[in-house]
Amino acid sequence: MHSSSNMEQEAAAPEEEVNSPVSEQGVAANEAAGTGKRKSDEPREPEASGRGKRRRGAGGKKLRPGERYIPPPQKRNPGVSFSQEHYSETSYYFEGGLRKVRPYFFDFKTYCKGRWIGKSLLEVFETEFRAEPLEFYQRAAKEGRIRLNETPVEDLSVVLRNNDHLRNTVHRHEPPVVGRPLEVLVDDGEVLVVDKPASIPVHPCGRFRHNTVIFILGKEQGFSELHTVHRLDRLTSGVLLFARTLEASKKLDQLVRDRQLEKEYVCRVDGEFPEGEVTCEEPILIVSFKIGICRVDPKGKECRTVFQRLSFNGKTSVVRCLPLTGRTHQIRVHLQYLGFPISNDPIYGSSAWGPNRGKGGLVGKSNEELLRALVEEHRSQESLHLLDMQDDGIAILQQAEKSKTCEKPDVTCEPDLSKDAPQTQMPTGCTSSSATVEEVKQGYTDSNTNNSSLQESQIQSNGNLTEETDSSQKTPAVTRDSLCSECKLVRPDPTEKELIMYLHALRYKGPDFEYSTRSPDWAKEDWVEEST
């Protein structure tokens, strides 16, 4: 999925150690905006009268010649949750220890933003969605991918007006995640507690939808209407709480506000962390919502974290962390400030922060320079997928990535897709198709439905995953979209090591409850990292 195609930004902030309860109904309502779950998404029909055609909802005003009818905005249903329709968009399979989602077609929807009013669609695509060239949108329009008030738009010079409703059909590719299943620790009807594996986001955001905790719990185990009590970073593992009822959500919400919930994390950091209790109270400022970057700054929000060293193996230390507030990336930023970043933190352990990697808050770069340095470092290491970002932040990375991938001899760059041009070889799993989007979507859904029981049966009763033995299932035939730039790239799979950060939510405790998980292997006192 590409930011250029996403006309409705996901409303979720970067996932972190956050103590702000968010009802999953609210998340679902946002997500439903991309799946048509409104009270009515159908355009209203013209209403005939004896003196000419009038439109319902237009105040009885007669349309002038050439004037476009714009239906009134429809109210969203806040009670909408994910349904079988959402889960059936595609299927998944396991390969190489990873959980992979088959690419699928998806409709993004949005009402016209205030700043777009009076601008043409072409201007909006040129200024707001720059990760793809204008030719991409022009071709998408010709193929019926772009709709305005449910009517296909072929001419992007149409000027947008208030309440215009846009729909964009895209071919979505989700990054793979660790294949370990979600383990349910507690389900008492009021609270659901799971042990979240690293690499899986809590709810749909950025490029992730099916490879998220919310979708997996709903599709595989039937949990719905979950209320988020707190969130974890995508690369962070451990205890994750959901309230199953509104009453439980309000109760936990109040405990959060009264600071009666205690969270305990464990991490592994570079160097020999000091003995005794270490407290950091430096304020934290969000530098970029798009990529999810924070730093210590006097203008930031107050926060406090207590640390205690548990062990030291000569190179790295295992540290107990007690965040007493819930700021974005609080533990990671405070450890960086103290000079002991998490050993494999792809952001706050990066050399882009300077020779001392941000110790003491000394970076020597502006926020813009820091962001560019982070992107460039991950681009050079071919690890851009490790940066957490919102949809509108992906454009920064895509531009950098394109300049890199087109230099690689083993990567297929975007070919000339004119009728007479030779077709470049596609990566395994993509097959050429000249079918319409609707035909492809229908056939794709049907073909996946037949395999879903086989794929999901790979999660055995003991919670372990089994590799697919059928080679045709390992490299499934996926419909190729001629407009999708992701279909034209060959990406190496991330390793499981790349998808795991040494930060684990070990315990979540309240006045009358306590939930905990096993400590991960990397937190053992005698653990030594394998050399690569």
Side-chain angles (χ1 to χ4, degrees):
M1 188 209 68
H2 304 289
S3 62
S4 56
S5 304
N6 183 355
M7 297 187 297
E8 179 168 355
Q9 314 286 328
E10 297 289 352
E15 297 179 19
E16 67 279 353
E17 301 84 22
V18 171
N19 271 340
S20 55
V22 179
S23 169
E24 181 49 36
Q25 293 181 358
V27 176
N30 289 338
E31 190 69 15
T35 55
K37 288 297 181 183
R38 292 175 181 269
K39 288 185 177 179
S40 174
D41 251 343
E42 296 299 322
R44 303 196 177 206
E45 296 298 325
E47 186 175 25
S49 71
R51 302 180 60 184
K53 291 186 177 181
R54 295 176 183 270
R55 306 283 187 171
R56 260 193 310 239
K61 181 180 177 181
K62 187 176 181 179
L63 294 176
R64 295 186 294 270
E67 183 179 1
R68 282 196 300 111
Y69 168 64
I70 303 175
Q74 302 298 304
K75 293 182 180 179
R76 293 181 182 176
N77 184 350
V80 168
S81 184
F82 299 119
S83 66
Q84 189 58 45
E85 177 186 357
H86 303 109
Y87 303 140
S88 298
E89 289 168 341
T90 185
S91 59
Y92 61 89
Y93 62 103
F94 297 95
E95 183 178 53
L98 300 175
R99 174 191 169 106
K100 299 181 178 181
V101 173
R102 290 180 170 86
Y104 57 101
F105 286 98
F106 182 78
D107 288 341
F108 281 106
K109 303 177 185 178
T110 185
Y111 279 96
C112 178
K113 312 297 183 186
R115 62 182 179 274
W116 299 351
I117 297 175
K119 294 183 178 180
S120 69
L121 267 176
L122 194 67
E123 289 178 287
V124 170
F125 285 130
E126 185 176 22
T127 57
E128 302 263 351
F129 309 105
R130 295 172 293 178
E132 298 287 355
L134 288 178
E135 291 77 9
F136 171 87
Y137 302 106
Q138 291 168 337
R139 291 177 56 211
K142 289 181 180 179
E143 293 195 12
R145 307 281 183 98
I146 300 174
R147 292 173 173 261
L148 187 62
N149 303 321
E150 301 305 324
T151 301
V153 176
E154 293 188 7
D155 185 0
L156 297 182
S157 64
V158 61
V159 175
L160 295 175
R161 296 172 58 189
N162 191 30
N163 290 335
D164 268 333
H165 186 256
L166 281 71
R167 181 197 298 258
N168 191 11
T169 301
V170 301
H171 197 230
R172 200 164 184 176
H173 292 245
E174 295 195 24
V177 298
V178 170
R180 185 166 68 86
L182 286 167
E183 180 184 355
V184 175
L185 302 175
V186 175
D187 176 21
D188 59 10
E190 293 188 351
V191 176
L192 176 68
V193 186
V194 301
D195 185 1
K196 183 186 93 67
S199 79
I200 306 179
V202 175
H203 52 67
C205 59
R207 298 178 64 192
F208 295 90
R209 180 172 167 85
H210 288 263
N211 265 349
T212 61
V213 173
I214 291 297
F215 254 63
I216 295 172
L217 287 175
K219 184 171 183 175
E220 294 181 0
Q221 305 193 41
F223 291 112
S224 61
E225 302 295 337
L226 298 176
H227 301 257
T228 306
V229 177
H230 69 123
R231 286 172 286 171
L232 297 175
D233 291 337
R234 179 170 62 88
L235 298 180
T236 303
S237 57
V239 176
L240 182 62
L241 268 69
F242 296 99
R244 297 204 61 185
T245 66
L246 183 58
E247 293 72 20
S249 177
K250 291 179 178 178
K251 177 183 177 181
L252 291 169
D253 184 13
Q254 192 59 49
L255 291 177
V256 170
R257 295 178 187 277
D258 296 340
R259 296 193 176 181
Q260 295 187 45
L261 294 179
E262 178 183 313
K263 297 174 295 180
E264 178 182 349
Y265 289 73
V266 63
C267 66
R268 183 171 285 277
V269 303
D270 288 339
E272 185 176 1
F273 198 85
E275 292 185 330
E277 192 173 274
V278 176
T279 301
C280 185
E281 297 181 312
E282 296 297 324
I284 292 178
L285 178 71
I286 297 179
V287 174
S288 170
F289 285 99
K290 294 182 178 181
I291 303 182
I293 307 295
C294 303
R295 68 194 298 177
V296 165
D297 191 287
K299 295 179 291 185
K301 294 183 179 181
E302 63 170 313
C303 48
R304 185 177 183 219
T305 315
V306 177
F307 301 100
Q308 182 181 15
R309 191 180 88 186
L310 300 179
S311 65
F312 175 60
N313 67 1
K315 289 185 177 181
T316 57
S317 304
V318 176
V319 178
R320 178 175 180 256
C321 316
L322 296 176
L324 304 182
T325 50
R327 306 304 179 198
T328 301
H329 293 179
Q330 177 176 322
I331 292 175
R332 299 164 67 181
V333 173
H334 274 175
L335 285 169
Q336 180 199 51
Y337 179 86
L338 294 173
F340 300 93
I342 294 175
S343 296
N344 60 349
D345 191 325
I347 295 179
Y348 300 101
S350 167
S351 60
W353 294 85
N356 295 318
R357 293 193 293 175
K359 180 179 180 180
L362 301 177
V363 180
K365 297 175 182 174
S366 67
N367 292 341
E368 292 72 20
E369 291 171 336
L370 175 60
L371 292 177
R372 282 197 296 269
L374 280 167
V375 169
E376 175 58 30
E377 177 175 318
H378 283 276
R379 183 188 69 81
S380 64
Q381 297 175 0
E382 300 181 12
S383 59
L384 288 174
H385 59 279
L386 298 181
L387 292 180
D388 285 321
M389 68 205 76
Q390 300 302 299
D391 290 334
D392 56 344
I394 298 176
I396 303 173
L397 307 186
Q398 285 181 322
Q399 292 295 342
E401 193 170 26
K402 283 181 179 180
S403 65
K404 177 67 177 178
T405 55
C406 287
E407 297 170 2
K408 290 174 62 62
D410 58 337
V411 173
T412 304
C413 296
E414 185 166 349
D416 180 0
L417 292 176
S418 61
K419 183 176 180 181
D420 299 325
Q423 294 297 304
T424 310
Q425 183 177 1
M426 291 297 108
T428 301
C430 289
T431 57
S432 180
S433 173
S434 58
T436 64
V437 173
E438 290 303 318
E439 290 171 344
V440 170
K441 287 170 71 175
Q442 181 63 38
Y444 189 78
T445 301
D446 292 343
S447 65
N448 284 335
T449 302
N450 296 330
N451 295 329
S452 60
S453 60
L454 170 63
Q455 294 144 7
E456 294 177 18
S457 67
Q458 292 162 358
I459 302 179
Q460 299 176 335
S461 58
N462 61 4
N464 295 325
L465 299 180
T466 60
E467 289 291 335
E468 293 174 328
T469 56
D470 185 353
S471 60
S472 64
Q473 292 294 321
K474 280 192 173 184
T475 55
V478 177
T479 302
R480 175 204 162 206
D481 177 24
S482 62
L483 289 185
C484 177
S485 59
E486 281 291 315
C487 282
K488 305 176 184 72
L489 297 176
V490 178
R491 296 183 186 278
D493 284 339
T495 63
E496 185 170 341
K497 181 179 177 181
E498 288 179 308
L499 296 177
I500 295 177
M501 184 169 62
Y502 299 150
L503 178 62
H504 180 82
L506 191 64
R507 183 173 290 104
Y508 208 91
K509 183 178 181 181
D512 56 355
F513 62 84
E514 179 176 336
Y515 308 116
S516 61
T517 66
R518 298 181 298 274
S519 189
D521 289 342
W522 53 257
K524 295 178 180 178
E525 184 174 352
D526 58 350
W527 180 85
V528 177
E529 185 172 16
E530 296 180 3
S531 58
T532 55

